[in-house]
Amino acid sequence: MIIAIDGPSGAGKSTLGRMLARKLNLLYIDTGAMYRAAALAVIESGVSTTDEDAVADVVARARINLAGDPDSLQVLLDGRNVSNKIRTEEVSQTSSVISTIPAVRRALVARQREMGKRGSVVLEGRDIGTVVFPEADVKFFLTARPEDRAQRRYEEDRLRESNLTFDETLDDINTRDARDSTRADSPLRKADDAIVIDSTELSIEEVFAKMLSAIRERQGRDA
Ligand code: DC
């Protein structure tokens, strides 16, 4: 079984992806973390993000892996655990910038497809239901009002001792949403057959229940 979760930043994709993986015993693949690890490799290499060939070259050479269970997922770059390092504001913006480069996407999509073939999986990102696994069994598109997404992100960041204010967090979300949705290659877009869940007025548990019942309904149909 392949479950795809797409949507803008801060919509709850990671939390819900992890919850589904735990409940249904699925492999959890956070594709945003892969773009973030690629961005960290680019920052550390010192190449300019405007030099697309050089960026693509760095990303092609980077060994990006996800390890561990959903609740303690480790993101590895060339064998180093970079799980915390990829959560900075600089990496967030750089990941959004380099993910517009087609060669970067090709490299990471190939890797995601390879990982997805390991068994039953839940993948979350921006283009899972449209490009990476258009044949996914169940597709979700999670969204919420930008202010609510920024509030969640702001609270998460504070636990990591980030200094960003709420307004800066909202700005970051709006800038990335605009870039992620308007790029030419695989923009953030709802797949035609995706189930849309707007979590603005819902708790995480309510969204989780909706997702679970959609998956069970689908499993029932296939049985
Ligand atoms: O989900 P996230 O915020 O960790 O993702 C970081 C950036 O990576 C996001 O701004 C856009 C990019 N991304 C993408 O282009 N395609 C994906 N499938 C996942 C993330």
Side-chain angles (χ1 to χ4, degrees), residues 9 13 31-33 35-36 87 92 95-96 99 105 124-128 153 176 180 183:
S9 312
K13 302 185 299 295
T31 65
Y35 285 93
R36 286 171 180 272
R87 300 290 161 192
S92 296
S95 62
S96 171
S99 66
R105 304 203 68 81
E124 56 113 331
R126 305 292 188 288
D127 59 343
I128 309 301
R153 193 40 63 80
R176 285 205 292 138
D180 298 345
R183 66 179 176 227

